[in-house]
Amino acid sequence: MINLLLFPVLIPFLFAAILLFFPKKVKAQRITVMIGLLLALTSTIALLIKVKSDGVQTLTLGSWAPPFGITMVSDMLSVLLVTSSLIIALFVVWYSFTSIGEDREKAFYYPAIMFMLTGVNGAFTTGDIFNMFVFFEVLLMSSYVLIVLGGEKGQLRESIKYILVNIVSSSLFVITVGYLYSVVGTLNMADISIKLAEIGQAGIITVIAVLFLIVFGIKGAIFPLFFWLPGSYAAPPMPILTLFGALLTKVGVYAIIRTYTLFFTTDIGFTHELLMIISIITIIAGCIGALAYFDVKQIIIYNIVIAVGVILFGASIMNENGMLGSMFYLIHDILIKGALFLLIGIVIKITGTSDLRKMGGLMKRYPTLAWSYLVAAFGLAGIPPLSGFLGKLLIVQGGIEDGHIWQSIFILASSLVVLLSVIRIFIYAFWGEEKVVQEISPKTYRHLLAPTICLVVITVLYGVGSEFVVPFMKDATTVLLDPAVYTDAVFKGVK
Amino acid sequence: MKTNDLIIQTTTKVVFFIIFLFSIHIFFAGHYAPGGGFVGGLLMSSAIILLLLAFDLKTVKEMLPVNYTVVTAIGLLTSLATAAGSIFFNVPFFTHVYSDFNLPLLGVTSIHTAMFFDTGVYLVVVGVTMTIIQMIGGDE
């Protein structure tokens, strides 16, 4: 089965096309989408095992020789990201059954999710820079649909901003790829890597590196370019916000890590230093936002920005521990953000507001919700046995090894702010005296809680069983730190 | 007041078929000459739009009782199936094959699977364009 690495991209696409046939039959839609997600997840796990045992998987479409056809590459990093994106999608879809409402389900909600997964998984798997642009567009178009679906006033307003920003960044992406193509004359990422290493240190390449940082920085929400994110993400309903918050910015982060480890390795002094400075400022901006708001959605949304900064800081160090930590933190952040958004989604559903000051005393009536929120919050902050701990520890360790003492201390300090911001939600919403709550039927509550608890349990297992995860992360790090592994896998001795 | 559209309606009845045949021609010519699924699909939808201009939305719906969302979905599935056929022969995805067939009427014809992929593109382009036009034009 040489086509196995395409299945996580093709299966969502196939099911999205099938779902277009019967938009009004809600029950059939739900069953089909679940079958599709489970199939895709199974194939991804098979792929994960294959990549673990046989190394990087590559396939050049249409039986063409590597630099001429579109190459798809599945290394450990991309297959881990694909797996976690499918896990998140599975739980979000399960959660949507009770929360999104039939009107939206009848308006191509599930096909849009499946098309978005096609784009996300494709962007993670592709080995061709222009193909990556196409998959970015696939996921962005579906996200435009999802952000505006339902047509409420806020959604319409924010979707215009979101679409404008993304169209600008997409055209910048095309321009940047144009520059790169005129310099190296190829679009295959492995081939670009080899050619750029031959050219060595040239001014234009550093310019292209910074342009890529701007392009992916807009998608991935780094410091001066995250301005669109808080407003746009707060507009759509909770399951859509969860998908966006857990997946979309991570695609930008993945693209930055991929280009900065594979392409631009010749002038690290400038480009990676810039990346480091920007990631530190990103953390500061995120911290300010996370403390400033009394709106639960905004607090978690600014925590996305903090996490993006932490991951990119780890990647910019370019040593083994830093990169390993980044990989850990990246997967952890996808899972924990999914869990947190689903949890506060339930809180908002119960209280009927997203304003912290109007909530209180949920602990008495909803103890399970409260305790799982506390576990997720501790996981986010990185309390030892939970999932956020090891990633941040390794990033800090890598930073100190490389002589970035102050930056590493700063990362540790930012954890305190993260903890403070999420514990504030806990104190305001769960402690204190009970305030007016909306009546929510026990059945709805249970149906919303089930997928959420499952996701929280997965994050806990990810933290507790990190010993088991380490070999996978080590494989991912090897490919990132040594581009030759990637290029050799693509060309398989052709060059 | 009822306007008289006799000239445009009669012309449309003739011109529609000319555009339609031209779109089919462009579609089949795509492999050796400029053209292909995308332009062919756009020409086909422009022919239907001409019908929409000459008649009204309801009449055209009666003439061509097609759900264009389904057309898009069929197009997507056609393209995917053509490209995915290679999976069953364990060759890389998107590997195309061609062969000569002795067809009745046409004689010996070379048929390439890329044509079936283009058929999918054609259907998607027609489906999407017509969905947009109908959505904006209709006021339900």
Side-chain angles (χ1 to χ4, degrees), chain A residues 161-380:
Chain A
K161 280 187 211 163
Y162 181 72
I163 292 172
L164 269 179
V165 166
N166 277 303
I167 284 177
V168 171
S169 91
S170 293
S171 32
L172 204 53
F173 195 170
V174 177
I175 293 167
T176 312
V177 171
Y179 278 143
L180 186 62
Y181 187 70
S182 67
V183 173
V184 293
T186 178
L187 291 171
N188 185 302
M189 279 157 68
D191 206 25
I192 292 174
S193 168
I194 293 170
K195 296 255 165 71
L196 282 181
E198 280 167 11
I199 297 171
Q201 210 165 343
I204 184 76
I205 293 171
T206 312
V207 173
I208 293 171
V210 174
L211 274 173
F212 266 122
L213 186 63
I214 295 172
V215 169
F216 296 134
I218 297 178
K219 319 259 185 206
I222 61 175
F223 163 62
L225 309 166
F226 73 95
F227 56 90
W228 55 273
L229 180 124
S232 301
Y233 276 22
M238 220 53 208
I240 299 174
L241 167 58
T242 314
L243 266 187
F244 283 16
L247 295 181
L248 291 194
T249 51
K250 304 305 178 296
V251 187
V253 171
Y254 164 80
I256 291 178
I257 293 180
R258 182 61 85 201
T259 47
Y260 271 60
T261 53
L262 191 61
F263 297 175
F264 309 112
T265 46
T266 44
D267 189 13
I268 291 186
F270 182 78
T271 49
H272 289 59
E273 179 102 33
L274 178 70
L275 184 60
M276 183 180 294
I277 294 167
I278 285 180
S279 57
I280 295 285
I281 307 176
T282 309
I283 298 174
I284 298 177
C287 286
I288 294 172
L291 290 181
Y293 282 91
F294 269 100
D295 183 310
V296 272
K297 278 189 194 172
Q298 293 296 342
I299 293 174
I300 311 289
I301 286 172
Y302 274 101
N303 269 300
I304 301 176
V305 180
I306 301 177
V308 166
V310 172
I311 296 166
L312 287 180
F313 174 76
S316 72
I317 303 170
M318 288 291 271
N319 68 9
E320 205 182 332
N321 277 331
M323 202 59 93
L324 193 62
S326 254
M327 294 304 100
F328 252 107
Y329 206 77
L330 184 56
I331 306 292
H332 144 78
D333 195 62
I334 292 180
L335 297 172
I336 200 84
K337 287 283 146 55
L340 274 174
F341 276 122
L342 293 185
L343 281 165
I344 64 162
I346 302 178
V347 172
I348 291 173
K349 193 108 182 169
I350 292 170
T351 56
T353 169
S354 63
D355 191 341
L356 271 183
R357 284 168 292 202
K358 290 180 189 153
M359 303 175 180
L362 291 178
M363 190 79 158
K364 271 181 207 141
R365 241 198 265 188
Y366 303 100
T368 334
L369 178 67
W371 289 113
S372 38
Y373 178 81
L374 194 65
V375 170
F378 281 164
L380 182 72

Side-chain angles (χ1 to χ4, degrees), chain B residues 6-138:
Chain B
L6 186 65
I7 293 178
I8 188 172
Q9 286 185 352
T10 317
T11 328
T12 299
K13 280 173 197 163
V14 180
V15 171
F16 174 79
F17 285 101
I18 298 173
I19 301 179
F20 177 62
L21 287 176
F22 185 52
S23 120
I24 300 288
H25 167 75
I26 282 272
F27 169 70
F28 279 113
H31 202 80
Y32 296 110
F38 187 75
V39 198
L42 278 182
L43 268 172
M44 181 64 213
S45 23
S46 73
I48 303 176
I49 290 166
L50 185 65
L51 281 183
L52 279 174
L53 288 176
F55 303 91
D56 59 305
L57 210 62
K58 218 171 135 196
T59 324
V60 176
K61 244 182 194 162
E62 275 165 23
M63 281 184 216
L64 299 164
V66 187
N67 180 350
Y68 289 104
T69 321
V70 173
V71 173
T72 315
I74 293 173
L76 284 177
L77 283 182
T78 317
S79 293
L80 183 62
T82 316
S86 50
I87 291 174
F88 299 103
F89 300 99
N90 206 28
V91 286
F93 186 72
F94 253 118
T95 304
H96 286 295
V97 287
Y98 69 95
S99 187
D100 292 329
F101 294 95
N102 200 350
L103 298 178
L105 283 176
L106 296 171
V108 177
T109 316
S110 166
I111 291 180
H112 196 290
T113 45
M115 195 193 79
F116 299 110
F117 184 81
D118 241 17
T119 316
V121 176
Y122 186 96
L123 290 175
V124 169
V125 172
V126 172
V128 168
T129 322
M130 292 319 296
T131 312
I132 295 172
I133 301 286
Q134 277 193 348
M135 285 286 166
I136 297 174

